């Protein structure tokens, strides 16, 4: 049972937190921390059989952590992929690498080898549902002329077009993939569909080729061939050749695009399209953590245009994005602006207002749910009416705020509480084991703590009077909630060295003598300590680095 306990716990240990070292720790720092914990947990230092057994378990746990972090290759794997990387089969046949990039490459290869055994069980479904809505009567009606007609009291909102498409990928071998897709479209009572089959083969690490067959009642049979090839380290080529069979004969088409990395965040594209709609275009795309910028120019038949677009990415939990674009050319002019925001773990909601000449005013609502896309373009007017622009802008914002407060926020809160409860139930036995391990560690620390306190008292050094770790309720409206904290006075005193206590930037739950008393909730560490005969107090976040003593922690005697 003890061995099973250690194996279960080992899977979730943070090695850096266990050794109380920073992630950038040198070999000397690792060795110093390891030696100190070995002196504390060495089985030969305890005569009591039960304490000796507990010390042996903890000693082995510390030794395993040190073995991983002291070996450059194992440490690099652990830093990149965590414990799952160390468990990956096949490292024994990989030569020992010297850089993290080489280790990452080797791990990805091993991961691909593992995935090959499950190719037949995997698909990648993608789908799009688009529903076009004609709402022009909301803003542009003939009330005076047709006011006596029956059923003309309310504006008519019609669905004038629909499009549904779906595709799945079926890996055949490690290099071959079949892609099956189909679509149905209807507009103003007329419609049709098509089915498409593509076979893709990865020819090398530098490229792939794809054969494509399509049949339907909209355009007739089509045969195509695509290739992708990395021409150089920062340059690639994508080409697509098609033959469209129709009642007018065979209509060929060719599209080629060259892409090049201009810098770390910028791509440049040059495209040439020949066939039914011939055109040449060039574009520059710059994508950073906080923004996305695109500039494009096209010369072609039937349209030539210039386009600029910008998207700002907010670094918030909901991944909010504001975007705007302007496009002008032979077709007219078009201005678009909008926003998108993550509304749940797998869903992103966006709205875009389109104002153009001669297009009029439209509102486009899009919902991405996992690999499915739901698109609702709503045409409001054929002319530039200020009222349509105003309601297209304000309406979605008001509706979103109402939905977020009345539906989305309560749902996410309930879902979070439900997930938290499941997490607590699934980890209940593990918490018990962690608690037992922490209590065992505290018992092993007693003798060492007694000596540390005696040494600190003799020089009026650092004495930990009380320390608590967990969830503290400070809001008066939540006083009825159960306080979930544990006493960690002994473990912290054991970490005091030369009248200093230094905790690294990591969760405190992994420290010797600690455990997580409230899984999934925010935690803090509160310490009351004495230094040079003066009381000090500090509270820090779970993952914050902490160094005491500090003068700013001193308790004001007058207060």
């Amino acid at each position: 049972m003890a061995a099973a306990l250690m194996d279960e716990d080992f899977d979730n240990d943070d090695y850096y937190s266990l050794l109380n070292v920073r992630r950038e720790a040198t070999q000397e720092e690792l060795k110093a921390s390891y030696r100190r914990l070995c002196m504390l947990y060495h089985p030969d230092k305890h005569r009591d059989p039960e304490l000796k057994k507990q010390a042996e378990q903890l000693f082995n746990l510390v030794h395993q952590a040190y073995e991983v972090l002291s070996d450059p290759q194992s440490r690099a794997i652990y830093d990149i992929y965590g414990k799952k990387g160390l468990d990956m089969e096949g490292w024994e046949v990989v030569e020992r690498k010297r850089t993290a990039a080489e280790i990452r490459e080797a791990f990805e290869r091993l991961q691909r080898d593992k995935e090959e055994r499950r190719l037949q069980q995997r698909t990648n479904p993608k789908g799009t549902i688009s529903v076009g809505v004609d709402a022009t009567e909301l803003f542009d009606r003939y009330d005076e002329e047709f006011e006596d007609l029956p059923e003309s009291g309310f504006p008519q909102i019609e669905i004038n077009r629909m499009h549904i498409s779906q595709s799945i990928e079926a890996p055949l071998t490690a290099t071959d993939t079949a892609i099956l897709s189909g679509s149905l479209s209807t507009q103003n009572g007329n419609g049709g569909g098509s089915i498409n089959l593509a076979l893709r083969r990865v020819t090398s690490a530098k490229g792939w080729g794809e054969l494509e067959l399509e049949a339907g009642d909209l355009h007739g049979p089509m045969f195509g061939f695509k290739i992708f090839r990395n021409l150089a380290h920062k340059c690639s080529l994508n080409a697509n050749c098609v033959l469209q069979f129709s009642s007018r004969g065979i209509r060929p088409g060719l599209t080629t695009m060259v892409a090049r990395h201009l810098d770390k965040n910028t791509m440049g594209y040059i495209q040439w399209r020949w066939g039914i709609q011939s055109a040449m275009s060039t574009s520059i795309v710059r994508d950073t953590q906080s923004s996305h910028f695109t500039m494009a120019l096209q010369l072609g038949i039937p349209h030539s245009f210039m386009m600029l677009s910008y998207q700002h990415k907010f670094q918030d939990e909901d991944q909010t994005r504001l975007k705007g674009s302007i496009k002008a050319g032979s077709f007219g002019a078009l201005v678009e602006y909008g926003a998108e925001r993550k509304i749940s773990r797998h869903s992103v909601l966006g709205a875009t207002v389109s104002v153009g000449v001669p297009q009029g005013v439209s509102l486009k609502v899009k919902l991405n749910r996992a690999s499915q896309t739901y698109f609702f373009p709503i045409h409001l007017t054929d002319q530039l009416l200020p009222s349509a622009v105003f309601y297209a802008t304000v309406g979605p914002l008001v509706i979103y705020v109402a939905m977020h407060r009345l539906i989305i926020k309560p749902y996410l809160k309930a879902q979070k509480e439900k997930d938290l409860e499941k997490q607590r139930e699934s980890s209940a036995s593990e918490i018990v084991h962690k608690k037992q391990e922490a209590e065992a560690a505290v018992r092993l620390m007693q003798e060492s703590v007694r000596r540390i306190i005696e040494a600190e008292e003799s020089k009026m050094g650092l004495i930990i009077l009380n320390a608590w770790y967990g969830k503290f309720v400070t809001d008066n409206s939540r006083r009825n909630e159960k306080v979930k904290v544990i006493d960690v006075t002994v473990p912290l005193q054991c970490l005091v060295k030369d009248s200093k206590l230094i905790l690294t930037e990591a969760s405190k739950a992994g420290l010797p003598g600690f455990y997580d008393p409230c899984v999934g909730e925010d935690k803090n560490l509160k310490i009351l300590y004495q230094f040079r005969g003066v009381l000090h107090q500090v509270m820090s976040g779970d993952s914050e680095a902490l160094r005491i003593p500090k003068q700013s922690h001193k308790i004001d005697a007058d207060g």
Side-chain angles (χ1 to χ4, degrees), residues 108-123:
E108 290 174 351
R109 180 180 60 77
L110 293 173
Q111 190 71 25
R112 288 195 298 268
D113 293 342
K114 182 179 179 181
E115 289 297 322
E116 285 183 18
R117 297 191 290 267
R118 299 186 295 177
L119 281 174
Q120 300 298 332
Q121 304 174 6
R122 296 189 296 125
T123 60

Side-chain angles (χ1 to χ4, degrees), residues 178-181 195-199 210-215 222 224:
I179 305 170
L180 180 65
S181 60
I195 187 169
N196 182 290
L197 175 64
L199 297 174
E210 181 177 296
L211 289 175
E212 184 179 12
L213 298 172
E214 182 178 298
M222 186 272 289

Side-chain angles (χ1 to χ4, degrees), residues 112 173-178 199-210 226 228-230:
R112 288 195 298 268
T173 67
T175 58
D176 298 325
T177 303
L199 297 174
R200 177 180 296 179
R201 164 166 286 189
V202 178
T203 55
S204 68
K206 293 185 177 181
W208 51 264
E210 181 177 296
K226 298 179 182 178
F228 172 82
R229 180 75 177 180
N230 284 316

Side-chain angles (χ1 to χ4, degrees), residues 475-500:
D475 189 349
N476 291 331
S477 62
R478 300 166 59 191
R479 286 293 182 185
N480 293 331
E481 289 189 22
K482 184 179 179 181
V483 179
K484 304 171 184 176
V485 298
I486 58 174
D487 188 337
V488 291
T489 307
V490 172
L492 285 184
Q493 185 68 67
C494 192
L495 294 174
V496 172
K497 183 179 181 182
D498 298 329
S499 298
K500 294 179 183 179

